[in-house]
Amino acid sequence: MNKPIFHITPERGWMNDPNGLVEYKGVYHVFYQADPEHLVNEKIGWGHKISHDLLHWEECPQALFPNECYDRDGCFTGSAVIKDDKMYLLYTGHVNQENGYIETQNLAVSEDGIHFEKYEGNPVIKNPPIDTTMRFRDPKIWELNGKYYVAIGGESKDKCGKVVYYVSNDLYSYTYCGKLADSDGALGNMWECPNFTRIENTDVLIFSPKGLGNGFPNSFESGYMLGTMDYENKKFEHDAYRTLDYGFDFYAPQVMECGTRKILFAWFAIPDSIGKEMKEGWRHLLTLPRELKVSSDHHLLMTPIKELEKLRTKTLDTTLLNKSWERKVKNQPLELLITGQYKEVCLKIEDENEKILELAVKKGSITLRQKREEWQQRTCSYQEENIWKMQIYMDYNTFEVFINDGKYVFSSRIYPNEVLRFMVDATSRDKDGKLEMYSLSL
């Protein structure tokens, strides 16, 4: 099996949530949950990669190891912030006990972004709020007007998902502010991996609810709420929850603050993903980076970063797309771009043995059908009059599709054989509709 080339993958062993996404001294830093010695998360620490262009990634020494009394069973998910030219990592320490576990929030500091020292006064947040269980993890930190705010995922005493938040002046001492958002139980019993960011004039809360019941096609998913944060009155007024990615393999997203630019990575898996690459000594990867924007009709958009266009090395096909198109190509890193005005689009992908997936976009719904252990599907509501853009990235064993500038996104792992057959049927409203296919390389 070929390893993806433009996705972040572990050199060996296990990978899950992206952590500590930060730009520091002109370098992009991506940390992630890592257990390089196992293909399951037995002894989770923080792996670390850096890049100057968000395309080429360099392996760094592991940043955090579970070696203290407060994190001996795992350095769980967290985030990073820059203060006084130093990088601070805030993360959850996990300790197993006979009757459950304890989770606390802890600090590590670096002067070079590579080597980290854990704060001798850890934990910096020792106990969850009185109305929150010990499911209390994944701190996401941000700075505003000289103060540092931290959102932490949690579970209420009556088993409903929630996000609470704290404030600090110095990153070492924290004051509890209250809940940021919560649920009556309809959105699961635990909200993991909260992210809070501001895009133009909109505040955005992103999180991954666990324990979802009927009505959700995926037992593990991630979503968002758009709104306005009133820091003075400690209240986040927000819209209803919406799903962020409708595919089979997307969880625990985290946002990198790059000035006004907001870039998101996610774990390209869910907790029960198979991971056929295990036989080669590694398991799971991160999604390609996506830039976040808010649409005029108040949806969060995810679009592939512009830097990915630099990967285009050869035009494999360019054609007017009025009705149908078919092409066989070797399985390789690819981009497929459809532009124009279409009423409906249906994409099918096969290898030499069988059909791999089918994506059907038509008014009323978008449906992704995929051969996994058996045929499964993911569907979302779709009421647009036209499909004007469909952009697909494939990296040997990945499939990520962005429809209408990233309003509808599906991310899934696929495991095809050597030759792929693409078939597109489109009901066009535009005689100048266009299809482009590119091979990609670093």
Side-chain angles (χ1 to χ4, degrees), residues 229-246:
M229 180 64 187
D230 183 342
Y231 286 89
E232 183 176 351
N233 294 303
K234 301 178 181 179
K235 192 170 183 64
F236 177 49
E237 297 283 355
H238 58 79
D239 296 344
Y241 172 88
R242 290 193 182 103
T243 300
L244 186 57
D245 187 301
Y246 296 93

Side-chain angles (χ1 to χ4, degrees), residues 264-423:
L264 179 145
F265 291 80
W267 181 26
F268 207 157
I270 57 174
D272 56 4
S273 290
I274 298 172
K276 291 185 178 181
E277 63 275 2
M278 284 191 294
K279 62 185 179 182
E280 297 185 355
W282 62 280
R283 190 175 183 189
H284 302 321
L285 69 166
L286 302 185
T287 64
L288 58 78
R290 300 125 183 246
E291 186 164 355
L292 300 180
K293 295 181 181 178
V294 175
S295 67
S296 58
D297 60 351
H298 221 52
H299 285 76
L300 188 60
L301 308 178
M302 291 195 298
T303 57
I305 60 170
K306 288 288 289 182
E307 287 89 338
L308 289 165
E309 293 180 6
K310 298 176 183 177
L311 301 181
R312 296 173 180 172
T313 52
K314 184 178 180 181
T315 302
L316 299 179
D317 208 333
T318 179
T319 184
L320 294 178
L321 182 63
N322 295 320
K323 187 175 180 181
S324 63
W325 169 86
E326 183 175 322
R327 176 77 187 237
K328 280 188 176 182
V329 298
K330 180 182 178 182
N331 182 21
Q332 60 188 292
L334 294 167
E335 178 190 353
L336 185 66
L337 179 61
I338 297 172
T339 53
Q341 298 291 325
Y342 302 92
K343 185 178 178 181
E344 296 182 359
V345 174
C346 181
L347 166 72
K348 298 178 182 179
I349 303 176
E350 301 176 348
D351 65 15
E352 60 264 39
N353 295 327
E354 61 182 358
K355 184 187 295 184
I356 302 296
L357 63 80
E358 178 180 313
L359 178 73
V361 186
K362 58 184 179 180
K363 191 166 185 179
S365 67
I366 303 174
T367 301
L368 174 68
R369 295 185 68 246
Q370 186 177 341
K371 183 69 178 294
R372 296 171 81 85
E373 294 300 308
E374 57 187 23
W375 279 99
Q376 300 179 32
Q377 72 177 40
R378 295 286 181 263
T379 301
C380 72
S381 176
Y382 175 80
Q383 303 302 327
E384 311 275 342
E385 287 297 325
N386 293 313
I387 304 137
W388 62 84
K389 186 176 183 181
M390 181 185 291
Q391 191 169 18
I392 297 167
Y393 280 90
M394 299 175 65
D395 195 0
Y396 289 120
N397 46 63
T398 70
F399 177 85
E400 293 164 273
V401 57
F402 303 83
I403 299 168
N404 287 1
D405 291 324
K407 188 173 181 179
Y408 309 93
V409 182
F410 290 76
S411 301
S412 289
R413 296 295 304 279
I414 59 174
Y415 298 94
N417 290 307
E418 284 301 308
V419 178
L420 296 176
R421 180 183 176 213
F422 290 82
M423 295 160 284

Side-chain angles (χ1 to χ4, degrees), residues 195-256:
N195 274 237
F196 198 77
T197 188
R198 188 167 181 82
I199 301 175
E200 295 179 351
N201 298 317
T202 303
D203 291 310
V204 184
L205 175 64
I206 299 171
F207 58 95
S208 299
K210 290 189 72 173
L212 294 174
N214 295 332
F216 291 88
N218 204 342
S219 57
F220 295 96
E221 73 161 47
S222 300
Y224 67 93
M225 296 169 172
L226 302 182
T228 301
M229 180 64 187
D230 183 342
Y231 286 89
E232 183 176 351
N233 294 303
K234 301 178 181 179
K235 192 170 183 64
F236 177 49
E237 297 283 355
H238 58 79
D239 296 344
Y241 172 88
R242 290 193 182 103
T243 300
L244 186 57
D245 187 301
Y246 296 93
F248 288 89
D249 300 289
F250 181 96
Y251 198 70
Q254 188 168 128
V255 179
M256 179 186 291

Side-chain angles (χ1 to χ4, degrees), residues 3 7-12 15 19-22 27-32 46-52 56-63 87 113-114 256 265 286:
K3 205 169 189 179
H7 289 75
I8 293 176
T9 60
E11 296 295 312
R12 66 183 193 280
M15 168 186 281
N19 299 157
L21 307 186
V22 71
V27 177
Y28 300 103
H29 292 254
V30 170
F31 302 86
Y32 52 90
W46 279 32
H48 185 195
K49 291 181 185 283
I50 59 172
S51 175
H52 291 85
H56 300 81
W57 294 94
E58 176 186 341
E59 184 83 0
C60 295
Q62 186 165 329
M87 185 188 297
I114 303 296
M256 179 186 291
F265 291 80
L286 302 185

